[in-house]
Amino acid sequence: HMATHLGIQGRLEAALVEAGGDRVVDLRPVLRADGTGEEAKRLFLDHCHPTSEGHARIAAALLPPLERALGL
């Protein structure tokens, strides 16, 4: 089961994975690599909106699945 494979436990997350299949990318490991407050300050302006570094991490994480989806 994909949701378990990604470490997604909540009902909403599991439903998204079920609906999206391999099109779902779990960004939590990318945006909470070490889980510290210091890291959160570098990656988010206000616990919701990513900083430039946060956006760069998101883009880097999305590139491989997008390339696969496009057959590149």
Side-chain angles (χ1 to χ4, degrees), residues 36 38 66:
T36 64
E38 192 65 34
L66 285 173

Side-chain angles (χ1 to χ4, degrees), residues 60-72:
L62 291 177
L63 184 59
L66 285 173
E67 287 176 332
R68 282 193 302 276
L70 296 173
L72 301 175

Side-chain angles (χ1 to χ4, degrees), residues 1-70:
H1 189 264
M2 184 70 137
T4 304
H5 170 71
L6 293 174
I8 295 174
Q9 301 301 323
R11 280 203 236 146
L12 174 61
E13 291 91 346
L16 289 171
V17 169
E18 206 60 41
D22 62 357
R23 294 173 295 171
V24 174
V25 177
D26 185 3
L27 294 173
R28 290 176 294 181
V30 173
L31 297 173
R32 294 191 292 183
D34 66 20
T36 64
E38 192 65 34
E39 178 182 60
K41 288 178 188 176
R42 284 193 332 271
L43 300 178
F44 292 96
L45 298 172
D46 58 5
H47 299 290
C48 182
H49 298 91
T51 62
S52 294
E53 183 181 346
H55 277 104
R57 285 190 185 192
I58 291 168
L62 291 177
L63 184 59
L66 285 173
E67 287 176 332
R68 282 193 302 276
L70 296 173

